[in-house]
């Protein structure tokens, strides 16, 4: 702790302990040592003293022995230049402060029984007294359990007053939306107003029901907040009275609490803040005081100062490492799995993005903590209602995530969520991923006010709900201007290929575990992807690494480890463990699948596949076509027709969906002859994969294989391409008959 702060802490502690000690002596003189004291309707006596020292303070005599202990605990006030390198003396002074304040408050309650309301009702402008005082055990049971079951992540203890009534209300509201309790104590240094009085003046309803709890007008009311936390640990955490360290650690780990000092800080507040650090509750303040940043007792920093008022909420949440729980998805239409399977048909279509009409790209990327403002959503460019009915916009969705525990490995997992989350919106349909996404917005949704920014809002809410454990902040940028969309797509494509390459060195033989993916079962109920190192998911968005990371984040989710078991067919790549899994996961619709064949038990295909391969019997080979290519192909079907034929979760021998990346993986259709069978693919796909196609061709003994593969410039029927294959000496023509 900074020595300036530590001096203030110790000075403040001396003032508080002296004052309380004086009050106690006066009370003993007046009422006698046997006079009973305590907080009303509680079995926990003076709870901080009881929980940490194990002493039930029942009367003034008990209080006296605690007070003597407080005086012993007080370190001497350091001389200005004296250097105190350790936190220790400050923490002890802080505890002595809190013990003394509990006694002070107990004597006040003895002398002024009406000082506090002890009420669990709403307090507003019509209330004479606004201060509730310590919670009784009924309130503790009802509210304290919320800290344990997670419905309230913790509390913000606010001391002092905001610069204005409006700012006070805005901050309180911000904490309310994060489900936090706000525990309020202490008027500002001049005693003019407090945060609680500002809220009432601003027309807000305060009190336990709205989680804005005005404990008391003095700093000593801070003990009601800390005492509440101590009692919760005893009542719900099974912590015994006197088990000080256990109680402090329980609170540090379970209750996300912090102190906000909003106005000028007197020594007494420093002393209380130092007390709170014992529980791991840091102080975040707008005031210009020295920071205390080492991360020892608190989860993160101890004192963070000079925070601009409007950033105090987000900063506090960040410092304390609070996991935000957002229960509502703030969009103007219904949302939920019930809407996942609905379609947006042609006459219902209001606007669309992607799907071959325009470019639509989705990219989740990680940033530094200070680069992300949680919940910020920006639309750069025109919105859905600006195009004519049925018209299209380009779209880039850039999701920037930050978190102290966030790993780049999690980016593709969050990115892939966009697919089903957008489909959860009533009246909106989503297909594809990465740079081949397709959004269809229905008229009814747009009429109800759905706009592009709502995609950002729902991603913010749902990412926090579902993945809050792995990140802290997320902001979303949506671009709808062509140039910018292309720029983002180019950046994203580089990252996509880096992600793909992470499984490059792995083989199917080197792992016993493959991963399932059943994310697409809402569309194709019998569809199961089984992802091995050498066969990435057919959507191209999930490879083996991604599935593994996804399983770590969400062990009961759609990506389950599948022990591959005995290899029952080496050529086609069949595994006993995989087949068993697929039978179960497809609800007995599919009995066996091959990893390396489109002829024998090919894997099922859903609507997400990046490419579809099909047999070309006359050429003794196979072709593949990717989603972006809308022209004719030599199998007689365009991509969309193929997707209709082969997709939907059924096994269709002769066809298989696969990712672009899979084409150059070593096991691609290996049971059918591998890459040497590939006789046709669209030119654009060939160019996209050029480098890897050349490399894989070399490995297979055909360095110029790429030039032997026909494309649409050669022809789009088997008759048209056959002579080309013959002329080039394509190896497929020499392989065993594909039929
Ligand atoms: Fe998962 Fe397969 Fe759907 Fe991709 S296509 S999300 S791997 S089920
Ligand atoms: Zn799918």
């Amino acid at each position: 702790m900074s020595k300036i702060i530590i001096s203030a802490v110790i000075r403040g502690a001396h003032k508080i302990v002296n004052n309380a000690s004086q009050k106690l002596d006066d009370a003993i003189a007046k009422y006698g040592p046997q006079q009973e004291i305590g907080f009303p309707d509680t079995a926990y006596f003076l709870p901080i003293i009881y929980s940490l020292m194990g002493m039930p303070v029942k009367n003034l005599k008990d209080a006296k022995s605690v007070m003597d202990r407080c005086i012993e605990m007080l370190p001497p006030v350091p001389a200005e230049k004296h250097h105190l390198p350790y936190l220790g003396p400050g923490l002890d002074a802080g505890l002595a402060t809190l013990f003394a304040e509990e006694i002070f408050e107990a004597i006040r309650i003895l002398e002024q029984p009406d000082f506090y309301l002890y009420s669990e009702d709403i307090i507003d402008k019509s209330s004479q007294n606004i201060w509730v005082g310590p919670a009784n055990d009924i309130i503790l049971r009802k509210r304290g359990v919320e800290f344990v079951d997670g419905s309230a992540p913790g509390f913000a203890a606010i001391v002092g007053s905001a610069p204005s009534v409006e700012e006070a209300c805005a901050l309180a509201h911000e904490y309310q939306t994060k489900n936090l309790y706000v525990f309020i104590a202490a008027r500002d240094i001049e005693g003019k107003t407090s945060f609680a009085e500002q809220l009432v003046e601003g027309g807000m309803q305060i009190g336990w029901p709205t989680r804005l709890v005005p404990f008391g007008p003095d700093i000593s009311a801070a003990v009601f907040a800390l005492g509440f936390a101590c009692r919760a640990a005893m009542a719900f955490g099974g912590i015994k009275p006197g088990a000080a360290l256990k109680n402090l650690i329980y609170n540090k780990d379970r209750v996300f609490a912090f102190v906000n000092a909003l106005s000028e800080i007197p020594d007494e507040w420093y002393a209380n803040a130092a007390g709170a650090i014992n529980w791991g509750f840091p102080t975040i303040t707008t005031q210009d005081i020295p920071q205390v940043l080492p991360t020892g007792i608190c989860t993160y920093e101890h004192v963070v100062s000079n925070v601009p008022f409007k950033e105090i909420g987000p900063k506090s949440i960040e410092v304390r490492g609070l996991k935000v729980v957002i229960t509502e998805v703030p969009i103007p239409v219904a949302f939920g799995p019930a809407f996942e399977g609905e379609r947006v048909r042609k006459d219902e279509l209001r606007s669309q993005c992607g799907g071959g009409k325009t470019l639509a790209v989705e990219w989740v990327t990680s940033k530094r903590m200070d680069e992300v403002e949680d919940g910020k959503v920006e639309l750069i460019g025109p919105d859905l209602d600006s195009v004519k009915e049925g018209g299209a916009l380009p779209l880039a969705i850039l999701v920037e995530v930050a978190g102290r525990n966030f790993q780049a490995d999690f980016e593709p997992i969050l990115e892939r969520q966009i697919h089903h989350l957008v489909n959860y919106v009533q009246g909106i349909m989503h297909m594809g991923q990465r740079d081949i996404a397709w959004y269809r917005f229905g008229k009814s949704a747009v009429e109800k006010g759905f706009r592009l920014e709502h995609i950002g809002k729902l991603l913010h809410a749902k990412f926090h709900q579902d993945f809050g454990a792995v990140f802290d902040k997320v902001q979303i940028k949506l671009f709808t201007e062509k140039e910018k969309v292309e720029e983002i797509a180019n950046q994203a494509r580089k990252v996509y290929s880096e992600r793909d390459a992470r499984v490059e060195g792995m083989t199917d033989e080197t792992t016993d575990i493959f991963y399932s993916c059943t994310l697409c079962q809402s569309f194709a109920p019998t569809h199961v992807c089984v992802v091995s190192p050498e066969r990435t998911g057919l959507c191209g968005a999930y490879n083996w690494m991604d599935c593994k990371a996804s399983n770590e984040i969400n062990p009961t989710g759609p990506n389950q480890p599948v022990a591959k078991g005995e290899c029952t067919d080496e050529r086609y790549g069949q595994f006993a463990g995989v087949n068993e899994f697929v039978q179960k996961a497809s609800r007995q619709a599919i009995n066996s699948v091959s990893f390396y064949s489109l002829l024998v038990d090919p894997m099922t295909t859903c609507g997400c596949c990046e490419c579809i391969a099909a047999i070309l019997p006359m050429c003794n080979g196979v072709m593949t076509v990717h989603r972006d290519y809308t022209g004719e192909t030599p199998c007689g079907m365009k991509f969309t027709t193929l997707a209709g034929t082969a997709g939907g979760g059924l096994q269709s021998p002769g066809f298989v969906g696969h990712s672009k990346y899979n084409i150059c993986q070593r096991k691609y259709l290996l049971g059918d002859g591998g890459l040497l069978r590939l006789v046709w693919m669209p030119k654009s796909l060939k160019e996209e994969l050029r480098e890897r196609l050349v490399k894989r061709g070399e490995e297979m003994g055909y360095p110029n294989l790429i030039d032997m593969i026909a494309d649409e410039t050669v022809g789009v029927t088997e008759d048209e391409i056959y002579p080309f294959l013959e002329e080039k000496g394509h190896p497929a023509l020499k392989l065993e008959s594909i039929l």
Side-chain angles (χ1 to χ4, degrees):
M1 207 180 301
S2 142
K3 62 183 168 184
I4 308 173
I5 291 192
I6 227 163
S7 315
V9 166
I10 295 173
R11 270 198 315 270
H14 276 269
K15 287 187 209 167
I16 288 167
V17 173
N18 289 343
N19 186 23
S21 177
Q22 186 61 55
K23 190 164 172 122
L24 177 59
D25 289 344
D26 292 350
I28 292 173
K30 191 163 163 196
Y31 307 103
Q34 295 308 324
Q35 171 62 49
E36 286 185 9
I37 53 165
F39 296 166
D41 303 314
T42 175
Y44 297 96
F45 309 99
L46 303 186
I48 300 179
I49 295 169
Y50 187 52
S51 63
L52 300 190
M53 301 175 83
M55 272 191 59
V57 173
K58 296 176 188 161
N59 54 39
L60 293 173
K61 187 165 130 273
D62 298 338
K64 181 72 183 161
S65 64
V66 174
M67 192 62 77
D68 292 344
R69 181 83 189 87
C70 290
I71 293 164
E72 278 170 39
M73 279 168 78
L74 280 183
V77 179
E80 266 331 300
K81 292 220 177 63
H82 182 88
H83 184 56
L84 277 171
Y86 306 112
L87 215 46
L91 296 180
D92 280 355
L95 284 182
T97 298
L98 299 174
F99 297 156
E101 284 175 339
E102 270 195 329
I103 293 169
F104 175 90
E105 287 287 350
I107 297 171
R108 167 142 76 190
I109 288 167
L110 168 71
E111 297 189 317
Q112 295 168 265
D114 298 332
F115 192 83
Y116 293 120
L117 293 168
Y118 310 107
S119 159
E120 210 197 342
D121 294 338
I122 286 279
I123 294 151
D124 56 23
K125 277 188 170 154
S126 66
S127 316
Q128 298 281 321
N129 180 3
I130 66 162
W131 303 108
V132 297
N136 61 34
D137 282 354
I138 297 168
I139 298 175
L140 170 76
R141 295 209 170 272
K142 192 154 126 200
R143 307 283 174 178
V145 73
E146 295 176 346
F147 291 157
V148 180
D149 70 14
S151 46
F155 63 84
I158 294 190
V159 293
S161 61
S164 70
V165 167
E166 293 69 36
E167 284 159 294
C169 294
L171 181 61
H173 183 75
E174 181 173 356
Y175 287 146
Q176 280 180 311
T177 62
K178 308 258 153 58
N179 301 324
L180 287 164
Y181 275 85
V182 178
F183 289 163
I184 307 163
R187 289 208 171 95
D188 57 34
I189 197 166
E190 288 151 352
K192 277 201 218 112
T193 188
S194 71
F195 191 71
E197 285 155 306
Q198 289 180 315
L199 299 185
V200 171
E201 195 184 331
M204 284 184 93
Q205 300 186 335
I206 64 172
W208 285 102
T210 58
R211 298 194 174 186
L212 305 171
V213 185
F215 273 132
D218 299 323
I219 186 65
S220 49
V223 297
F224 302 148
L226 293 167
F228 189 84
C230 288
R231 285 154 77 191
M234 290 188 283
F236 305 106
I239 313 281
K240 299 267 171 312
L245 201 59
K246 278 200 181 131
N247 198 307
L248 298 175
I249 289 172
Y250 180 90
N251 274 295
K252 170 180 172 288
D253 293 342
R254 296 286 198 99
V255 180
F256 289 93
F258 51 86
V259 180
N260 281 164
L262 299 184
S263 48
E264 194 187 332
I265 303 176
D267 291 346
E268 288 87 340
W269 295 11
Y270 280 108
N272 275 270
I277 287 174
N278 286 287
W279 280 260
F281 302 161
T283 291
I284 298 91
T285 178
T286 50
Q287 300 301 299
D288 185 12
I289 62 170
Q291 309 231 90
V292 181
L293 299 178
T295 61
I297 296 166
C298 296
T299 307
Y300 306 117
E301 295 86 352
H302 295 131
V303 177
V304 179
S305 55
N306 253 330
V307 180
F309 191 86
K310 72 174 180 26
E311 283 161 33
I312 196 118
K315 189 72 194 174
S316 303
I317 282 161
E318 176 191 329
V319 169
R320 185 61 179 94
L322 176 72
K323 294 302 173 189
V324 178
V325 184
I326 295 164
T327 46
E328 296 227 330
V329 176
I331 58 175
V333 292
F335 179 88
F339 307 105
E340 193 175 11
E342 49 161 28
R343 303 279 185 266
V344 174
R345 299 194 197 286
K346 208 169 160 204
D347 49 354
E348 171 47 24
L349 182 70
R350 175 62 188 81
S351 350
Q352 59 183 329
C353 304
K357 317 285 184 282
T358 59
L359 176 60
V361 53
E362 302 166 346
W363 180 26
V364 173
T365 184
S366 31
K367 291 271 161 188
R368 287 199 321 266
M369 284 293 265
D370 60 351
E371 292 175 314
V372 178
E373 183 182 322
D374 188 48
K376 185 169 175 194
V377 177
E378 279 174 287
L379 169 65
I380 298 109
D383 210 334
L384 293 178
D385 52 346
S386 70
V387 294
K388 65 176 196 318
E389 200 172 297
L393 276 172
L395 176 66
I397 299 185
L398 175 61
V399 181
E400 296 175 320
V401 185
R404 294 175 196 241
N405 299 320
F406 195 73
Q407 304 171 19
D409 286 357
F410 300 153
E411 291 168 3
I413 319 301
L414 294 188
E415 192 174 288
R416 191 65 185 116
Q417 302 303 313
I418 298 174
H419 174 55
H420 80 262
L421 292 177
V422 170
N423 273 312
Y424 276 8
V425 181
Q426 184 176 29
I428 294 171
M429 189 175 168
H430 181 280
M431 278 160 286
Q433 57 282 321
R434 291 190 170 183
D435 58 346
I436 54 167
W438 187 7
Y439 290 74
R440 288 171 68 83
F441 301 92
K443 283 180 196 158
S444 61
V446 177
E447 270 158 28
K448 280 185 198 141
F450 193 93
R451 296 292 179 269
L452 286 170
E453 63 156 5
H454 293 114
I455 295 177
K457 292 196 166 154
L458 83 89
L459 292 178
H460 169 250
K462 290 301 289 180
F463 280 5
H464 272 296
Q465 267 176 35
D466 300 346
F467 296 91
V470 297
F471 79 96
D472 298 315
K473 302 203 258 182
V474 59
Q475 69 190 11
I476 296 100
K477 294 175 183 150
L478 303 116
F479 301 92
T480 55
E481 280 154 354
K482 193 160 176 275
E483 258 172 39
K484 193 68 194 172
V485 172
E486 274 162 12
E487 185 190 319
I488 302 281
N490 286 332
Q491 291 171 17
R493 284 178 190 130
K494 286 197 197 96
V495 178
Y496 300 153
S497 55
E498 282 162 20
R499 288 180 192 164
D500 291 342
R502 288 182 307 147
V503 288
E504 194 68 63
M506 293 185 68
T507 66
D508 287 357
E509 287 75 29
T510 53
T511 174
D512 294 329
I513 300 290
F514 295 162
Y515 284 92
S516 66
C517 189
T518 48
L519 213 59
C520 287
Q521 285 201 341
S522 49
F523 286 100
T526 56
H527 175 65
V528 187
C529 277
V530 184
V531 177
S532 72
E534 291 182 282
R535 193 180 190 282
T536 58
L538 55 81
C539 57
Y542 269 22
N543 63 31
W544 186 88
M545 288 281 190
D546 301 327
C547 293
K548 185 168 181 281
S550 162
N551 182 256
E552 274 165 29
I553 300 176
N554 182 5
T556 57
N559 301 104
Q560 293 299 313
V562 178
K564 69 182 182 187
E566 191 198 338
C567 179
T568 54
D569 188 320
E570 239 167 82
R571 175 173 173 185
Y572 294 123
Q574 295 219 3
F575 301 89
V578 172
N579 285 342
E580 207 177 295
F581 181 93
V582 170
Q583 278 168 23
K584 248 188 261 157
S586 71
R587 301 171 189 87
Q588 270 68 45
I590 312 294
N591 287 311
S592 50
V593 292
S594 305
F595 276 75
Y596 319 133
S597 175
L598 60 38
L599 293 169
V600 180
D601 300 344
M603 277 202 197
T604 57
T605 298
C606 67
C608 304
C609 56
E610 278 188 307
C611 307
I612 300 179
I615 175 177
L616 295 179
M618 201 186 120
C619 300
N620 203 37
V622 299
M623 56 153 276
T624 191
V625 55
H626 63 310
R627 192 178 288 272
D628 290 349
Y629 175 80
T630 51
E632 297 294 341
T633 79
C635 75
M637 289 184 262
K638 294 180 181 177
F639 181 89
T640 43
T641 322
L642 272 170
T645 310
L650 298 175
Q651 236 166 7
S652 350
F655 302 92
V656 75
H658 60 80
S659 67
K660 291 179 186 172
Y661 184 78
N662 185 229
I663 297 172
C664 300
Q665 288 192 291
R666 278 171 299 265
K667 296 282 180 8
Y668 177 67
L669 303 184
L670 201 58
D672 308 326
L675 194 63
L676 300 185
R677 277 286 183 197
L678 192 64
V679 297
W680 188 93
M681 69 199 298
K683 195 167 168 34
S684 56
L685 183 58
K686 215 197 272 185
E687 288 313 316
E688 189 180 332
L689 299 177
R690 172 167 284 279
E691 218 175 294
R692 293 180 63 234
L693 276 172
V694 170
K695 190 161 156 259
R696 182 67 190 134
E698 273 167 14
E699 273 174 31
M700 298 186 88
Y702 290 86
N704 58 342
L705 181 67
I706 186 165
D707 303 320
M708 299 173 167
I709 301 172
D711 57 38
E712 70 275 20
T713 63
V714 176
V716 290
T717 64
E718 287 205 68
D719 284 331
E720 282 168 6
I721 66 170
Y722 188 82
F724 173 88
L725 302 174
E726 247 191 342
E727 184 204 314
K728 296 281 175 182
H730 194 292
L733 304 183
K734 290 178 234 108
L735 292 175
E736 66 174 300
S737 168
I738 197 162
L739 299 169

